[in-house]
Amino acid sequence: TVDQSRENLKKRGLEITAKNIAKTWFVKGEDAKYFDVCIETGKQTSMEAVNNSLTAFKNWNGVDALKNIKNETLIVWGDQDKSYNLEQSQTLEKNIENSKLIIFKNCAHNVHLEQPDQFNNIIKDFLL
């Protein structure tokens, strides 16, 4: 939950929390090729920014606004994503009129980094 995340952040600090979160973004965790890139990016944020993000996550529900999206939309989800579950991705697909959900097998949150060639091909096909 958001409250648990906020508590973990206070207790463990930004660097450890960022590392623990980034581990979940890859099937291979810390052994993933681009894990260190995510850690370096995380170091560029602040406690204030993280707290503001958590507040936004907790207080905002945009499902009703999804019906306003008229553009063709590609939704990409990794079947091992711990940040967002399949139900959330399906909510996007159901509520965005002209959308398509692509599920990548053996990927977590960073599909574009775990399977870049396949991801790029899907994007290229979508754009053509």
Side-chain angles (χ1 to χ4, degrees):
T1 68
V2 170
D3 293 328
Q4 184 62 49
S5 295
R6 192 172 269 124
E7 192 60 38
N8 288 341
L9 187 62
K10 270 195 258 180
K11 192 184 316 177
R12 296 186 180 114
L14 187 56
E15 190 170 330
I16 291 172
T17 302
K19 185 176 182 179
N20 288 337
I21 290 169
K23 283 193 286 192
T24 70
W25 289 349
F26 297 96
V27 171
K28 293 182 179 178
E30 291 181 59
D31 295 329
K33 182 176 180 179
Y34 294 104
F35 175 77
D36 290 334
V37 172
C38 289
I39 294 300
E40 289 306 311
T41 302
K43 288 179 180 177
Q44 296 176 36
T45 193
S46 67
M47 289 292 276
E48 180 183 17
V50 173
N51 271 316
N52 289 341
S53 296
L54 291 171
T55 299
F57 288 145
K58 185 174 183 175
N59 296 330
W60 187 77
N61 181 333
V63 173
D64 290 337
L66 295 174
K67 294 183 184 340
N68 296 325
I69 299 172
K70 302 301 179 198
N71 295 38
E72 187 175 357
T73 303
L74 181 64
I75 304 157
V76 176
W77 183 73
D79 69 346
Q80 295 182 38
D81 192 335
K82 292 181 175 93
S83 296
Y84 299 98
N85 60 43
L86 178 58
E87 184 179 322
Q88 290 169 298
S89 298
Q90 290 170 327
T91 295
L92 293 174
E93 184 181 33
K94 279 191 287 188
N95 290 283
I96 300 173
E97 185 178 318
N98 194 15
S99 66
K100 179 179 181 181
L101 172 62
I102 301 289
I103 299 173
F104 281 74
K105 302 286 183 202
N106 301 312
C107 278
H109 190 65
N110 281 329
V111 171
H112 63 294
L113 297 176
E114 290 189 294
Q115 293 184 15
D117 293 337
Q118 297 89 325
F119 176 83
N120 288 337
N121 286 333
I122 292 289
I123 298 300
K124 184 171 61 174
D125 290 345
F126 175 74
L127 294 173
L128 294 178

